[in-house]
Amino acid sequence: MNSLLIIDDVLGSIDDEAFSEKIHSLSHADKVEYIKLDPIDLSRKKFKKSTTAGRSCAISLPRDKVLENGSIMYIEDDFAIVIKTNELQWLQIKPNSIDAAIELGYFAGNMHWQVKFYDECIFIALNSPRENYLNRLSQFLSNQSIEIVDNNG
């Protein structure tokens, strides 16, 4: 497995009817290899990565191709290569006032952080270590304008 496998297309998804039976059979034979990616890396078009079986792959995709969890990158009778994403972790924050919510939203936008909103909380996608985000939020934490409400510390 020393040679580099060059992949230049996304063939489909494991959910596609055209591939489901073959992927199922290969999976039972332990012949599906995975390229594990963080969710933020799904937008990348060119990269090198090894599969879970140690096979070296060079990915070079056209701009119109999109990677997602379950994308089939290679499939033959003897093995398949599928994209598998790691679960995205979120930092849950509750602003203690409308002013704090506006200021936090403005700050998160300037930081280009991926966010989502639910109830009275803002969730920030953790694309680097959690401590990095907490350090960036130190001004909000020190003046108690926000509180961290998730269970990770």
Side-chain angles (χ1 to χ4, degrees):
M1 262 192 245
N2 291 340
S3 63
L4 185 67
L5 179 61
I6 298 172
I7 299 171
D8 61 4
D9 199 4
V10 176
L11 303 176
S13 171
I14 59 171
D15 297 326
D16 293 346
E17 195 173 317
F19 294 108
S20 63
E21 189 174 317
K22 186 159 193 150
I23 288 290
H24 182 77
S25 296
L26 289 170
S27 180
H28 276 291
D30 202 25
K31 299 289 185 180
V32 177
E33 301 176 21
Y34 295 95
I35 295 175
K36 292 187 177 181
L37 296 176
D38 288 323
I40 194 156
D41 292 327
L42 291 174
S43 62
R44 294 175 61 192
K45 301 298 180 193
K46 293 181 187 247
F47 58 93
K48 289 183 181 177
K49 195 87 170 168
S50 293
T51 68
T52 51
R55 189 182 310 271
S56 296
C57 299
I59 312 293
S60 180
L61 300 174
R63 289 181 186 219
D64 65 328
K65 294 295 179 170
V66 177
L67 289 176
E68 58 186 32
N69 190 41
S71 291
I72 299 171
M73 307 307 293
Y74 182 91
I75 190 165
E76 290 293 331
D77 290 333
D78 52 344
F79 75 97
I81 297 175
V82 174
I83 297 294
K84 186 173 194 171
T85 56
N86 302 317
E87 185 177 339
L88 186 58
Q89 300 294 311
W90 296 87
L91 180 63
Q92 183 179 355
I93 300 170
K94 183 175 183 187
N96 292 325
S97 69
I98 296 294
D99 288 345
I102 292 169
E103 189 176 350
L104 177 61
Y106 182 80
F107 181 79
N110 281 340
M111 297 300 296
H112 300 278
W113 288 344
Q114 179 184 351
V115 299
K116 62 183 182 180
F117 303 92
Y118 184 74
D119 285 339
E120 296 178 354
C121 292
I122 182 171
F123 292 78
I124 299 173
L126 299 178
N127 294 313
S128 65
R130 186 177 198 273
E131 269 313 300
N132 294 355
Y133 291 87
L134 294 176
N135 288 339
R136 293 288 189 145
L137 293 166
S138 62
Q139 70 188 43
F140 295 97
L141 292 167
S142 65
N143 69 18
Q144 299 179 343
S145 62
I146 65 169
E147 60 182 283
I148 307 300
V149 294
D150 60 19
N151 296 325
N152 297 318

